Amino acid sequence: AQTVTQSQPEMSVQEAETVTLSCTYDTSESNYYLFWYKQPPSRQMILVIRQEAYKQQNATENRFSVNFQKAAKSFSLKISDSQLGDTAMYFCAFMSLYNQGGKLIFGQGTELSVKP
Amino acid sequence: DADVTQTPRNRITKTGKRIMLECSQTKGHDRMYWYRQDPGLGLRLIYYSFDVKDINKGEISDGYSVSRQAQAKFSLSLESAIPNQTALYFCATSDPAGGHNEQFFGPGTRLTVL
């Protein structure tokens, strides 16, 4: 069974600085999707970024980028120029493409605080 | 208007009561999911459905049941609520044919069982 681990329960960063959130996963499959979701205090789940495992290029969305290391099964999220609105819980998630119903397997979450 | 809605947004109930959480979507997606979120555990899958005739258990289905009344509606029931079912519940939808496999989440229901 696949598992996702986020080893940093809490992190903090100063406004305008860069922070990296870690995520590791375990799977025997070669093709899958990885996601980072953001959950602000409003508790809405918001997709931040996605990565297809067959793509070697790391995904980027504005200030958010990932470092996808397939052999190491690592998928970290880098937030550049942190803003107060980035304060949220961040979840890493895995999706198998093989007979899994498209369900997401989530990590435990990292609570990020951006300080002024 | 929100594409995925959940009712109620918050609910407090007592042990042994039957509770239904409802989810509706206007996205036209066939796949729908129910997750629960607990501190330190992330989100875990309770049930998922590919269409009105195809319902599947997730990793933590014990104590829960679901009903897919239509493509747009997917309800989660707790037949006899217990305190350890206190959690934040999310409904989600997806459309794999769209190519990105993204799941779209509702706003969540905060359930407290006393």
Side-chain angles (χ1 to χ4, degrees):
Chain A
Q2 294 94 352
T3 58
V4 178
T5 301
Q6 294 177 248
S7 58
Q8 305 153 316
E10 298 176 351
M11 293 190 72
S12 66
V13 63
Q14 291 296 130
E15 194 175 9
E17 293 187 348
T18 295
V19 64
T20 299
L21 309 184
S22 300
C23 173
T24 58
Y25 59 95
D26 188 25
T27 184
S28 59
E29 298 172 5
S30 60
N31 200 12
Y32 44 86
Y33 279 84
L34 295 164
F35 302 86
W36 279 98
Y37 278 87
K38 169 184 178 181
Q39 186 181 48
S42 66
R43 79 190 190 201
Q44 181 69 49
M45 294 289 287
I46 302 165
L47 179 66
V48 175
I49 200 165
R50 72 169 64 84
Q51 175 80 44
E52 293 95 332
Y54 67 88
K55 291 186 176 180
Q56 293 186 338
Q57 186 173 4
N58 289 324
T60 299
E61 289 286 344
N62 300 315
R63 297 183 296 108
F64 299 87
S65 62
V66 298
N67 183 4
F68 173 48
Q69 300 291 326
K70 190 172 184 179
K73 299 179 183 176
S74 171
F75 183 59
S76 61
L77 175 69
K78 185 172 80 170
I79 306 174
S80 303
D81 186 24
S82 296
Q83 300 176 0
L84 297 178
D86 296 332
T87 291
M89 180 74 80
Y90 287 82
F91 292 100
C92 177
F94 171 97
M95 178 186 289
S96 168
L97 295 181
Y98 303 104
N99 299 318
Q100 296 288 326
K103 60 187 178 186
L104 291 169
I105 298 171
F106 287 87
Q108 302 89 333
T110 295
E111 187 165 9
L112 177 67
S113 296
V114 180
K115 301 184 183 303
Chain B
D1 290 340
D3 295 322
V4 184
T5 57
Q6 292 183 234
T7 55
R9 293 295 310 277
N10 298 280
R11 180 72 183 270
I12 300 173
T13 191
K14 294 182 178 180
T15 297
K17 293 293 186 180
R18 184 179 189 275
I19 294 295
M20 179 179 286
L21 309 183
E22 298 186 344
C23 177
S24 295
Q25 53 117 345
T26 59
K27 301 188 75 66
H29 291 170
D30 286 329
R31 294 189 178 187
M32 298 186 74
Y33 307 81
W34 275 104
Y35 295 90
R36 67 174 276 177
Q37 180 181 351
D38 298 279
L41 296 179
L43 283 76
R44 292 177 293 165
L45 184 66
I46 306 172
Y47 271 95
Y48 61 105
S49 171
F50 289 167
D51 62 38
V52 294
K53 297 181 180 180
D54 188 350
I55 294 176
N56 305 277
K57 292 182 177 180
E59 61 178 306
I60 54 164
S61 59
D62 287 350
Y64 301 95
S65 62
V66 292
S67 174
R68 185 81 183 265
Q69 302 95 325
Q71 185 204 38
K73 295 184 182 295
F74 191 37
S75 300
L76 177 71
S77 294
L78 289 68
E79 296 301 326
S80 180
I82 57 177
N84 77 359
Q85 292 177 314
T86 292
L88 182 56
Y89 290 83
F90 284 100
C91 174
T93 74
S94 73
D95 175 25
H100 292 134
N101 288 287
E102 177 181 355
Q103 289 194 11
F104 297 86
F105 285 81
T109 294
R110 172 77 66 188
L111 177 65
T112 302
V113 183
L114 301 176

